[in-house]
């Protein structure tokens, strides 16, 4: 999962992009990058690390220009090397920078076609670089002379016909403007906004509406599935819907875990969705366990607080904060390896003993993925003196890999894969385990928007909306992206001791790395 932003404004955009990326930091903590364009040419700064660590005052001062884009990353494809920090750059045609959120399911096929047929060179294992080169090739085929909006739209149409998977893309065509588009199934989110300034209309696209809110952009709408937005450097905006088949099937896990609660995605409030998840969860408990003996409901901070509070209200049970979170530890779900995830849980959470001692406690989390965090937290609750520890998930069992940009690629690493609820309960050490059912989750999220007729629920249902995900593909993906493979790649990188510096990883030519 990643976060993207693009801005065309009447004044410098460096600070605005930085602020937007800090708001989107929850979507990726591995790397960050900003590219700007102005009278001084193309300016680039990207590296591994959090936004606050990648960009210092000296970098910000050099990121000049009124047009720019940014990205925060956590790796699903490729690795965590600094050379794979985005945005990526190619110098032909015109010079294009691109960043994307998602994953291409036909990445291998595209890579081979690009290198053999299109005769393009790829520097990394990232599917974002593949997307960039597909777009660049298609634009070059059509832009004979002066670039026009029609050229851009036709190039993106060709990208949609060649690329499969889930993707939300922001690209900058150097000297011309910002391009943004979303996959034809609308799996990954992308929001369009506008604000007025003394210089005229300013436009912004971002992964979540909260980034627009912080910068006081009015949210115009979500980018439609397959739609292309082209904003010229002059501030003129063009848009065109995809002429091919589309579906509106946003990723439901955005609402469960990834998105900030103050975001609106596809006209659906993340906060209200999580409130209703709590209501549905309470109903599930009442149906399955009408004579429950729960004394107190305690959330696993932070994403489950809203659902836990609402579940407590509907059950008539006390709600208490039982864990204090160290906010300087990253989100464990998106940490790169199992060992690191396990070690970070105790560093991240500390139990308040008096809320647990002698009580039957229901812990509520947004979901259970690998089970590592759940097992550790249940142990913490018992050590704090809980008499019984029950566990509830506001989402159904995660039994299948997610192939559209969320790091759930290895079925063998999902604790619910091939296991019953009782078996998962025993593995995490709970006295009872309650899962939300899928219909309840869909009702919770879809409530406000009748235009959304379906969601990508693949990690719960095993049904993939792109229709191209085969058992063979899943097997190959698991081999490439399980924790063991990730650790092997990281170890190989350390052994070689060939770490690219931020300057080494930047584009050459007119681009200036800082």
């Amino acid at each position: 999962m990643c976060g993207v932003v693009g801005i065309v404004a009447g004044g410098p955009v460096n600070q605005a992009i930085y602020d937007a990326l800090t708001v989107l930091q929850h979507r990726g903590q591995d790397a960050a990058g900003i590219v700007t364009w102005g009278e001084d040419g193309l300016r680039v700064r990207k590296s591994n690390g959090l936004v606050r660590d990648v960009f210092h005052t000296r970098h910000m001062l050099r990121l000049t220009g009124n047009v720019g884009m940014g990205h925060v990353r956590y790796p699903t494809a490729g690795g965590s090397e600094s050379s794979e920090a985005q945005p990526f750059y190619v110098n032909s045609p015109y010079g294009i920078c691109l960043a994307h959120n998602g994953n291409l399911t036909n990445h291998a096929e595209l890579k081979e076609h690009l290198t053999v047929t299109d005769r393009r060179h790829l520097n990394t294992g990232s599917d974002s670089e593949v997307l960039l080169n597909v777009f660049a090739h298609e634009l070059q085929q059509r832009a004979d002379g002066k670039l026009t909006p029609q050229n851009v739209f036709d190039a993106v149409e060709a990208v949609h016909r060649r690329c499969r998977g889930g993707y939300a893309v922001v690209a900058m065509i150097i000297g011309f403007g910002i391009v943004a588009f979303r996959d034809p199934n609308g799996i990954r989110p992308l929001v369009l906004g506008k604000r007025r300034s003394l210089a005229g209309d300013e436009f912004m696209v971002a992964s979540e509406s909260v980034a627009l809110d912080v910068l006081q952009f009015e949210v115009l709408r979500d980018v439609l599935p397959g739609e292309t937005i082209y904003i010229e450097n002059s501030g003129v905006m063009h848009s065109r819907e995809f002429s091919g088949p589309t579906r509106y099937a946003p990723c439901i896990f955005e609402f469960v875990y990834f998105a900030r609660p103050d975001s609106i995605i596809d006209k659906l409030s993340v906060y209200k969705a999580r409130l209703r998840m709590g209501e549905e969860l309470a109903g599930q408990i009442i149906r399955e366990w009408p004579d429950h003996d729960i004394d107190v409901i305690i959330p696993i901070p932070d994403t489950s607080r809203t659902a836990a509070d609402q579940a407590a209200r509907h059950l008539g049970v006390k709600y208490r904060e039982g864990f204090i979170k160290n906010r300087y530890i990253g989100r464990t779900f998106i940490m790169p390896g199992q060992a690191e995830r396990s070690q970070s849980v105790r560093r991240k959470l500390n139990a308040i003993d008096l809320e647990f001692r002698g009580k039957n406690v229901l812990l509520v989390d947004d979901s259970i993925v690998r089970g590592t965090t759940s097992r550790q937290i249940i142990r913490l609750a018992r050590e704090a003196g809980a008499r019984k520890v029950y566990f509830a998930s506001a989402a159904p069992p995660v039994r299948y890999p997610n192939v559209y940009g969320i790091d759930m690629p290895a079925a063998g690493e999902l604790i619910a894969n091939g296991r019953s609820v009782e078996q998962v309960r025993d593995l995490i050490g709970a006295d009872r385990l309650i899962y939300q059912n899928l219909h309840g989750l869909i009702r919770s999220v879809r409530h406000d928007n009748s235009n959304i007729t379906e969601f990508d629920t693949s990690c719960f249902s095993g049904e993939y909306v792109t229709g191209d995900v085969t058992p063979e593909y899943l097997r190959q993906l698991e081999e490439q992206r399980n924790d063991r493979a990730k650790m092997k790649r990281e170890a190989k990188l350390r052994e070689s001791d060939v770490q690219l510096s931020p300057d080494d990883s930047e584009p050459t030519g007119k681009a200036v790395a800082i």
Side-chain angles (χ1 to χ4, degrees), residues 248-483:
Y248 218 141
C251 175
I252 204 164
F253 209 75
E254 290 275 357
F255 299 88
V256 171
Y257 176 80
F258 268 105
R260 274 182 44 149
D262 43 347
S263 282
I264 308 290
I265 297 175
D266 294 309
K267 299 181 182 178
L268 297 168
S269 165
V270 177
Y271 175 73
K272 287 187 176 180
R274 290 177 184 169
L275 281 176
R276 289 189 290 269
M277 287 178 206
E279 296 172 12
E280 292 282 350
L281 187 60
Q284 186 92 357
I285 292 170
I286 290 169
R287 289 191 297 273
E288 293 184 9
W289 191 16
D291 57 344
H292 70 81
D293 59 349
I294 302 167
D295 296 319
V296 61
I297 290 180
I298 293 175
I300 312 303
D302 284 317
T303 46
S304 63
R305 279 197 172 103
T306 309
D309 180 58
Q310 199 72 349
R313 289 174 184 271
H314 281 258
L315 290 173
V317 174
K318 287 189 296 184
Y319 169 90
R320 291 289 185 270
E321 293 285 343
F323 294 105
I324 299 301
K325 182 178 180 181
N326 179 350
R327 304 197 179 277
Y328 301 97
I329 299 291
R331 301 177 92 180
T332 53
F333 176 85
I334 62 176
M335 287 182 175
Q338 183 78 356
E340 189 170 350
R341 283 188 291 269
S342 299
Q343 293 169 5
S344 69
V345 173
R346 284 184 175 269
R347 297 198 302 265
K348 184 171 78 167
L349 296 177
N350 191 46
I352 303 174
D353 289 12
L354 62 89
E355 296 296 352
F356 292 91
R357 195 174 301 119
K359 298 175 183 177
N360 296 336
V361 179
L362 175 65
L363 302 178
V364 176
D365 207 350
D366 51 77
S367 59
I368 305 172
V369 181
R370 295 170 175 89
T372 308
T373 301
S374 306
R375 189 182 304 113
Q376 294 278 341
I377 288 172
I378 289 169
R379 189 175 301 160
L380 284 174
R382 294 196 188 283
E383 291 172 1
R387 185 166 57 240
K388 291 184 179 179
V389 181
Y390 309 123
F391 205 93
S393 167
V398 177
R399 291 198 165 104
Y400 304 94
N402 183 290
V403 300
Y404 302 127
I406 297 177
D407 192 17
M408 302 177 189
E413 293 172 2
L414 305 174
I415 193 169
N417 179 260
R419 295 188 178 99
S420 67
V421 173
E422 291 72 23
Q423 288 173 319
V424 176
R425 176 202 64 200
D426 293 343
L427 283 172
I428 65 175
D431 292 297
R432 191 179 187 112
L433 175 61
I434 303 101
Y435 276 109
Q436 174 83 273
N437 67 63
L438 184 55
H439 293 299
L441 177 61
I442 292 172
R443 281 195 302 270
S444 300
V445 179
R446 184 175 178 264
H447 186 81
D448 291 334
N449 189 349
S450 59
N451 292 329
I452 305 293
T453 58
E454 59 181 325
F455 292 92
D456 169 53
T457 61
S458 54
C459 58
F460 305 121
S461 64
E463 299 173 3
Y464 297 93
V465 298
T466 53
D468 63 330
V469 178
T470 64
E472 175 62 19
Y473 172 80
L474 293 176
R475 186 189 65 77
Q476 292 175 354
L477 196 70
E478 179 163 358
E479 290 177 357
Q480 295 166 3
R481 300 188 191 173
N482 60 34
D483 280 339

Side-chain angles (χ1 to χ4, degrees), residues 119-152:
R119 298 175 183 172
R120 286 185 167 266
H121 175 73
L122 300 175
N123 294 307
T124 72
S126 172
D127 58 348
S128 300
E129 190 187 15
V130 168
L131 245 174
L132 168 59
N133 278 274
V134 171
F135 177 58
H137 176 79
E138 297 300 338
L139 188 61
Q140 191 161 30
Q141 298 294 103
R142 291 160 177 79
D144 184 16
K146 185 179 179 182
L147 184 72
T148 67
Q150 186 69 36
N151 299 151
V152 174

Side-chain angles (χ1 to χ4, degrees), residues 13-228:
V13 295
N14 53 352
Q15 188 63 52
I17 295 173
Y18 178 93
D19 292 342
L21 292 183
T22 60
V23 172
L24 297 174
Q25 184 75 84
H26 61 284
R27 300 186 67 86
Q29 302 169 13
D30 179 70
I34 293 177
V35 175
T36 60
W37 170 259
E39 293 180 356
D40 297 328
L42 184 65
R43 298 284 178 163
V44 184
R45 169 63 183 173
K46 59 178 184 174
S47 187
N48 280 5
L50 300 176
V51 174
R52 67 178 183 230
D53 299 323
V54 171
F55 305 103
H56 302 152
T57 302
R58 66 182 184 278
H59 305 128
M60 296 299 293
L61 290 173
R62 295 173 184 172
L63 286 168
T64 56
N66 297 359
V67 180
M69 56 182 291
H71 184 263
V72 288
R73 175 182 189 260
Y74 99 101
T76 50
S80 60
E81 300 95 323
S82 60
S83 61
E84 297 197 0
Q86 299 180 35
F88 288 120
Y89 172 86
V90 291
N91 62 8
S92 178
Y94 308 110
I96 303 172
C97 297
L98 181 144
H100 116 279
N101 168 34
N103 183 59
L104 300 181
T105 53
N106 62 336
H107 169 258
E109 172 191 327
L110 287 168
K111 184 176 181 179
E112 182 177 3
H113 193 275
L114 281 168
T115 54
V116 175
T117 305
D118 294 347
R119 298 175 183 172
R120 286 185 167 266
H121 175 73
L122 300 175
N123 294 307
T124 72
S126 172
D127 58 348
S128 300
E129 190 187 15
V130 168
L131 245 174
L132 168 59
N133 278 274
V134 171
F135 177 58
H137 176 79
E138 297 300 338
L139 188 61
Q140 191 161 30
Q141 298 294 103
R142 291 160 177 79
D144 184 16
K146 185 179 179 182
L147 184 72
T148 67
Q150 186 69 36
N151 299 151
V152 174
F153 295 144
D154 290 346
V156 175
E157 288 249 343
V159 170
H160 289 325
R161 298 185 191 283
R162 289 181 65 176
C163 297
R164 297 192 299 271
Y167 51 89
V169 175
V170 175
M172 181 166 64
I173 305 175
I174 309 306
F176 291 93
I178 292 287
V179 182
F181 55 92
R182 192 176 180 190
D183 65 84
N185 294 294
I187 298 173
R188 300 266 67 90
L190 196 61
V191 187
L192 172 67
K194 181 178 80 171
R195 71 181 179 189
R196 293 285 298 172
S197 73
L198 294 176
D201 289 340
E202 301 180 334
F203 290 94
M204 176 178 176
V205 288
S207 294
E208 294 185 34
S209 65
V210 65
L212 281 69
D213 295 340
V214 166
L215 295 172
Q216 297 182 303
F217 277 78
E218 174 193 358
V219 175
L220 295 179
R221 58 183 174 84
D222 298 275
V223 178
L224 296 173
E227 183 183 18
T228 304

Side-chain angles (χ1 to χ4, degrees), residues 480-495:
Q480 295 166 3
R481 300 188 191 173
N482 60 34
D483 280 339
R484 186 173 59 257
K486 289 178 184 177
M487 291 173 65
K488 187 175 180 180
R489 284 195 296 270
E490 294 294 334
K492 185 177 180 180
L493 186 67
R494 286 193 298 270
E495 288 172 8

